[in-house]
Amino acid sequence: MSVTPQRHRARGRLLIAGVTALAAAASVAAALPAGAQDESRGHGHATGRTVDVQLLSFNDFHGNLEPPTGSGGRVTELQPDGTTKTIDAGGVEHLATALREARKGERYTATVAAGDLIGGSPLLSGLFHDEPTIEALNKLDLDIAGVGNHEFDEGRTELERIQNGGCHPKDGCYEDGKVFQGADFPYLAANVTDEKTGKPILPPYKIWQKNGVKIGFIGLTLEGTPDIVSAEGIKGLKFHDEVETIDKYAKELDRKGVKSIVALVHEGGAPASAAYNYNCDSPGPGDGISGPITEIAKKTTSKVDAFVTGHTHQAYVCTVPDPSGKPRMVTSASSAGKLFTDTTLTYDRRTRDIVRTSVESTNQVVRRDLPKAPDMTSLIARWNKLAAPIASRPLGFISADIARGTEPEQPLGSLIADAQLAYAKTLDPEADLALMNPGGIRAELVFKAAGTEGDGVVTYGEAFSVQPFGNTVNLVDLTGTQLITALKQQVSGSNEAAPKILQISAGLTYTLDLTKTGADRVVADSVKLNGAAVDPGATYRVAMNSFLAGGGDGFAELGKGANPLVGGDDLKAFEDYLAANSSAADPIEPPASGRITVVKKPTAAVN
């Protein structure tokens, strides 16, 4: 199935209406040599003043070489009658085919990505420190990538190895006679500097050029990366403001004569609809998106012609006004390779700039009925053979899908918190409760067998995909006041705009009142443990992973715990819990809700 016809179905386009547009068209036509055509009307033609450059982009791939399972492997599509349907999508075999088909007939094509290509990956990639993913991205002919926060999961030295190659310092080489070659494409990190030297740890930008066409790409991660990455992973690094960084390097590119600039920013927004093909510019430009990227786009210098974004795992194609009020394209392609964005940048050879009024963009579904790319099939088979002895080992049994979900209280989050509390009690019988960060849950447990293990069987590979970060389960003492403060930090401070609701073990309950704002959304006197109100002056022994224990995800209060005890691997804790609490005859059921009572805002009546 060709992706080309779909390309024209739902497209975002920057337009200036009426007389202005007609005047601009007349001006361009007058400037063209006799007989020349305006090439912004079609892909890849280069016979006149303008030339179309195809920009293919994606983000937040997270090592998903195989199609993601469950709801994480589906996209929502808006239908002409206003209804929606879900489509199974993703898998690098299909992504490779889709990108290669999209490039056919194009004279000028650049393929770029906006961070989190690795990290938080399923076992097939994560077990091998994401070398399989980098190998696949090389085969995809990725030209340029900006870093995301997950590129720092294993620290700066490991990121440099990912870029430059070499065997892993601890695990060595995985195949006899083969040394990891590193990424063929440059990683860009414009806003990440060495604390001592003040210099970027990786190049801040890359100038893509072909036949005299030059486009500068600036790559960067979100300034808040230190809040969501292990402190050890970013030791010695500083992360700078996105707008200031882009403006700085846009000026530098401009001085070098590069007038066409695209920012690859690993920061994103929250779209008004979950459908990948909704109209983000209704009722006006950019009205269908909110969140950090909108402020970045509104404030960043007009020298930048487009934004490719990520981080929030959402799909959108929006035009957000720049500081001068002119619309500018801002895109994101969901996550896990389920979508890619196809953008047309019309390049004016005379001004060397992008003709903003001709920029077109659309998100394309990586459908699983596309043929599989044979080279990717071979790559997956090769690495699966190495992983199979570990991945297929059964750990336990479930009676149904155990999902991450979209509600504050997630069934899988509850299960993981229960597992961590059970493990913590083996370290200290006085352990009272456990907390789990929602961002640390990377996949859901699916009842249907992925291989030959049988329905309901949870394998090591599936459990690894749920918790791939290699955190430890730690114990700290928190006062009741500190515990309540930590719960309030879910919805205040750096988490106010995008709350991060901790998953909690059985016995801890409280009310989350969404009719209120900020920290008041956590009703302090509703916080109870085993039915008794949490005593502000009492001390509680709290289990959590090492990421949270370091104050990650904006939970500074958790980083202040006393009497710390470092335990073992969080995945091993989950594995032990499954083994001890499930069997083929008595599988684990999805945990019932009720730990967090949610008071929602009343729904407006529809007339």
Side-chain angles (χ1 to χ4, degrees):
M1 173 182 168
S2 173
V3 299
T4 305
Q6 181 192 0
R7 180 167 196 282
H8 300 286
R9 179 167 38 181
R11 183 185 302 277
R13 181 165 185 167
L14 300 175
L15 295 173
I16 295 178
V19 175
T20 304
L22 292 172
S27 175
V28 170
L32 293 175
Q37 297 178 347
D38 178 1
E39 298 164 295
S40 66
R41 299 182 185 278
H43 259 328
H45 302 290
T47 57
R49 173 172 167 173
T50 62
V51 58
D52 282 350
V53 177
Q54 180 189 52
L55 181 66
L56 303 177
S57 59
F58 55 95
N59 51 276
D60 296 276
F61 185 69
H62 289 293
N64 279 272
L65 299 174
E66 296 177 301
T69 58
S71 61
R74 303 186 190 106
V75 296
T76 300
E77 184 176 80
L78 184 64
Q79 304 301 296
D81 63 0
T83 61
T84 61
K85 73 173 184 179
T86 58
I87 303 171
D88 290 336
V92 77
E93 295 162 296
H94 307 296
L95 177 61
T97 297
L99 291 176
R100 289 164 184 171
E101 284 196 20
R103 292 181 187 128
K104 287 180 179 178
E106 305 295 338
R107 294 185 60 184
Y108 298 84
T109 298
T111 305
V112 302
D116 278 10
L117 303 180
I118 59 175
S121 305
L123 181 137
L124 178 60
S125 185
L127 186 64
F128 305 105
H129 300 280
D130 281 311
E131 290 182 19
T133 291
I134 297 300
E135 183 180 334
L137 295 174
N138 289 343
K139 291 178 179 293
L140 283 180
D141 292 325
L142 182 63
D143 291 300
I144 303 165
V147 295
N149 54 285
H150 280 287
E151 266 76 22
F152 294 93
D153 282 348
E154 296 188 48
R156 172 182 179 176
T157 300
E158 174 62 5
L159 176 55
E160 290 172 344
R161 186 186 76 89
I162 289 294
Q163 178 71 87
N164 301 318
C167 296
H168 191 270
K170 179 181 176 181
D171 295 338
C173 296
Y174 298 110
E175 297 175 283
D176 291 341
K178 289 187 177 181
V179 177
F180 175 56
Q181 297 300 303
D184 290 345
F185 54 90
Y187 262 118
L188 307 180
N191 68 331
V192 187
T193 60
D194 185 291
E195 282 186 345
K196 293 181 178 179
T197 67
K199 296 180 179 180
I201 63 168
L202 291 170
Y205 59 79
K206 172 73 175 180
I207 301 173
W208 178 93
Q209 51 188 320
K210 183 176 181 181
N211 297 335
V213 175
K214 294 182 180 180
I215 300 176
F217 290 91
I218 303 170
L220 62 159
T221 186
L222 68 156
E223 183 184 10
T225 291
D227 295 329
I228 53 177
V229 173
S230 168
E232 190 62 30
I234 56 169
K235 191 174 181 179
L237 303 179
K238 288 191 70 175
F239 293 78
H240 302 273
D241 180 82
E242 300 94 342
V243 174
E244 292 176 2
T245 300
I246 299 171
D247 285 0
K248 173 184 176 179
Y249 290 111
K251 288 179 182 178
E252 188 170 314
L253 285 165
D254 187 63
R255 287 195 299 268
K256 291 185 175 183
V258 179
K259 307 298 182 181
S260 299
I261 301 172
V262 175
L264 310 177
V265 188
H266 191 71
E267 179 60 289
S273 169
Y276 78 90
N277 59 335
Y278 81 105
N279 183 2
C280 187
D281 291 332
S282 176
D287 285 344
I289 187 173
S290 59
I293 196 61
T294 59
E295 290 306 306
I296 293 171
K298 287 176 182 177
K299 295 176 181 178
T300 298
T301 174
S302 300
K303 294 180 187 296
V304 174
D305 297 294
F307 285 83
V308 174
T309 74
H311 187 56
T312 56
H313 291 199
Q314 301 299 312
Y316 46 82
V317 173
C318 308
T319 57
V320 178
D322 68 13
S324 67
K326 295 179 181 178
R328 176 165 55 188
M329 195 67 76
V330 179
T331 70
S332 176
S334 186
S335 65
K338 299 190 293 287
L339 301 173
F340 71 92
T341 311
D342 188 344
T343 302
T344 300
L345 300 174
T346 299
Y347 182 90
D348 188 318
R349 290 185 179 277
R350 182 173 298 178
T351 65
R352 292 172 291 173
D353 206 351
I354 300 299
V355 181
R356 286 255 211 109
T357 54
S358 297
V359 175
E360 298 181 352
S361 191
T362 181
N363 274 327
Q364 301 295 315
V365 180
V366 179
R367 298 174 181 270
R368 294 188 196 168
D369 56 1
L370 284 169
K372 295 181 178 181
D375 57 339
M376 295 301 178
T377 301
S378 297
L379 181 150
I380 290 171
R382 197 178 92 242
W383 288 102
N384 262 330
K385 184 176 181 180
L386 293 173
I390 299 172
S392 60
R393 179 166 60 89
L395 303 182
F397 302 84
I398 57 175
S399 65
D401 290 353
I402 304 183
R404 288 186 288 177
T406 57
E407 294 298 316
E409 183 181 342
Q410 304 175 25
L412 187 51
S414 297
L415 180 62
I416 292 171
D418 289 346
Q420 293 191 357
L421 178 57
Y423 170 77
K425 285 183 177 293
T426 68
L427 302 177
D428 184 347
E430 299 300 316
D432 293 302
L433 61 110
L435 306 172
M436 176 63 190
N437 60 306
I441 307 169
R442 307 305 296 184
E444 58 190 34
L445 293 179
V446 179
F447 178 80
K448 184 175 177 59
T452 59
E453 73 274 12
D455 291 347
V457 177
V458 178
T459 64
Y460 181 86
E462 291 166 333
F464 184 99
S465 294
V466 171
Q467 289 186 275
F469 294 113
N471 289 310
T472 56
V473 179
N474 296 2
L475 277 163
V476 297
D477 286 347
L478 295 175
T479 66
T481 296
Q482 285 181 300
L483 177 58
I484 293 171
T485 297
L487 293 176
K488 287 179 175 292
Q489 287 175 340
Q490 301 175 112
V491 290
S492 62
S494 62
N495 292 331
E496 183 165 1
K500 294 183 176 68
I501 305 303
L502 295 167
Q503 304 301 289
I504 57 179
S505 56
L508 182 65
T509 58
Y510 71 94
T511 296
L512 183 66
D513 188 347
L514 299 181
T515 66
K516 298 180 179 179
T517 60
D520 290 340
R521 283 180 278 187
V522 172
V523 182
D525 59 9
S526 73
V527 183
K528 297 180 180 180
L529 183 62
N530 300 321
V534 167
D535 182 352
T539 298
Y540 298 87
R541 198 71 168 143
V542 183
M544 64 192 77
N545 62 34
S546 49
F547 172 68
L548 282 177
D553 264 355
F555 292 99
E557 201 65 32
L558 298 181
K560 300 175 184 178
N563 301 317
L565 173 62
V566 177
D569 183 77
D570 60 352
L571 180 57
K572 183 63 165 60
F574 192 44
E575 176 182 349
D576 290 347
Y577 187 83
L578 291 171
N581 293 277
S582 71
S583 66
D586 188 19
I588 288 178
E589 296 184 359
S593 61
R595 303 179 189 190
I596 304 173
T597 300
V598 181
V599 179
K600 295 186 177 182
K601 294 180 180 179
T603 304
V606 178
N607 294 325

